[in-house]
Amino acid sequence: MSDIGDWFRSIPAITRYWFAASIAVPLVGKLGLISPAYLFLWPEAFLYRFQIWRPITATFYFPVGPGTGFLYLVNLYFLYQYSTRLETGAFDGRPADYLFMLLFNWICIVVSFHVISGVEGKHVRLDRYGILFIIWSLTSQTKITGLAMDMQLLMIPLIMSVLYVWAQLNRDMMVSFWFGTRFKACYLPWVILGFNYIIGGSVINELIGNLVGHLYFFLMFRYPMDLGGRNFLSTPQFLYRWLPSRRGGVSGFGVPPASVRRAADQNGGGGRHNWGQGFRLGDQ
């Protein structure tokens, strides 16, 4: 038990709390301590019944069962692996910046799910029949891939958005996947999208996560650094006061965009990349 405790404490703080909540909340639903019907993101209940906890619980909840357990464990591994790499790599010593990235991605995912459910008319009345249907689905032996998995759970999209950012910051790194396959990291989010489609039967969660991750990467890195545009995203000061930056840590952002590398080569190469003023995470 001490080895497990040491390993758990070795996980960086934000990833550790996220990882623990992604285990605790599904366990609470599985044991029936709280009805799973209150853990989904139902737009009608959130918007009109003021059940404001739903976007939060839907971020950590996953209906673990015979048909979904493997998918849950795979994505829990992705959460641990790539959130840890980001928090100890590009965001090392800058917990406020990393938390801001998670909050930005989470808000975009919540908004996108509400837009999709509104456009497609998939609001489901949360009456007693709707609750009974959810409970039946969660306790049945069938694979849950329909409305509940595709539209009302936010765990996979948030994990995929983090994985996408890591893949873009390390786009030229060679990564290994199952069966010995190797490819550049920039292709990893799309390989996982196809992999989850095979084992889960859906790509909506993964696609939204990739798109949100691309939006963050474009606004925070690509547009200001590679295209010379203004920086639209900046971490609020109250997050810095709550989670002050730790100086002296690693602060690399993976491989810089191509135009930045070319500019550095023209300036003599071999030295540090000139990222421009004001675009380094944590600088105030």
Side-chain angles (χ1 to χ4, degrees):
M1 292 299 293
S2 61
D3 293 338
I4 296 178
D6 293 340
W7 166 79
F8 182 75
R9 286 187 292 271
S10 70
I11 303 174
I14 296 176
T15 300
R16 181 168 66 246
Y17 287 115
W18 184 10
F19 185 81
S22 297
I23 295 177
V25 175
L27 184 62
V28 167
K30 184 69 174 178
L31 295 177
L33 301 178
I34 298 177
S35 173
Y38 292 100
L39 302 176
F40 286 94
L41 177 58
W42 291 106
E44 180 182 283
F46 173 64
L47 293 175
Y48 304 113
R49 301 193 180 187
F50 304 104
Q51 297 179 2
I52 58 176
W53 68 84
R54 287 184 176 273
I56 299 175
T57 57
T59 303
F60 304 116
Y61 179 68
F62 198 90
V64 181
T68 60
F70 181 69
L71 181 63
Y72 167 72
L73 292 177
V74 167
N75 283 279
L76 199 63
Y77 169 78
F78 290 153
L79 186 164
Y80 164 74
Q81 187 81 330
Y82 294 101
S83 181
T84 298
R85 291 186 182 187
L86 262 188
E87 192 175 353
T88 58
F91 294 88
D92 185 48
R94 311 183 193 282
D97 294 319
Y98 187 63
L99 181 59
F100 173 70
M101 184 200 71
L102 292 178
L103 290 174
F104 174 83
N105 290 357
W106 176 72
I107 291 172
C108 291
I109 290 170
V110 171
V111 171
S112 66
F113 271 60
H114 280 297
V115 170
I116 291 174
S117 61
V119 170
E120 296 187 0
K122 288 189 175 181
H123 290 277
V124 178
R125 291 187 58 83
L126 198 62
D127 53 17
R128 60 179 180 176
Y129 300 108
I131 294 176
L132 288 174
F133 170 76
I134 298 172
I135 296 175
W136 172 82
S137 298
L138 295 175
T139 55
S140 68
Q141 300 298 315
T142 59
K143 182 181 289 187
I144 308 169
T145 57
L147 174 65
M149 286 283 286
D150 290 346
M151 300 300 300
Q152 314 299 342
L153 299 174
L154 308 183
M155 176 186 286
I156 292 178
L158 188 59
I159 293 173
M160 289 300 299
S161 70
V162 169
L163 188 150
Y164 186 93
V165 173
W166 177 89
Q168 293 304 312
L169 291 175
N170 301 272
R171 58 182 302 108
D172 292 327
M173 178 187 294
M174 297 300 296
V175 297
S176 300
F177 201 61
W178 285 20
F179 309 112
T181 56
R182 289 177 57 83
F183 44 82
K184 290 186 176 181
C186 59
Y187 301 117
L188 181 61
W190 306 106
V191 172
I192 292 177
L193 183 148
F195 174 77
N196 282 0
Y197 175 74
I198 294 174
I199 65 176
S202 175
V203 297
I204 294 179
N205 291 311
E206 291 80 4
L207 183 60
I208 290 179
N210 287 352
L211 293 177
V212 169
H214 180 77
L215 177 63
Y216 174 84
F217 176 78
F218 180 82
L219 294 177
M220 180 60 77
F221 298 102
R222 185 80 176 178
Y223 184 65
M225 295 180 183
D226 196 22
L227 303 179
R230 60 171 296 187
N231 191 0
F232 289 100
L233 298 180
S234 60
T235 304
Q237 291 299 316
F238 76 88
L239 288 180
Y240 287 121
R241 291 192 293 268
W242 185 31
L243 299 170
S245 298
R246 186 185 73 251
R247 299 300 178 184
V250 178
S251 58
F253 289 102
V255 179
S259 64
V260 178
R261 295 199 302 271
R262 288 194 297 269
D265 293 338
Q266 293 173 0
N267 291 332
R272 296 182 62 185
H273 294 291
N274 180 14
W275 288 95
Q277 183 177 2
F279 296 126
R280 184 175 177 183
L281 285 181
D283 287 349
Q284 302 178 42

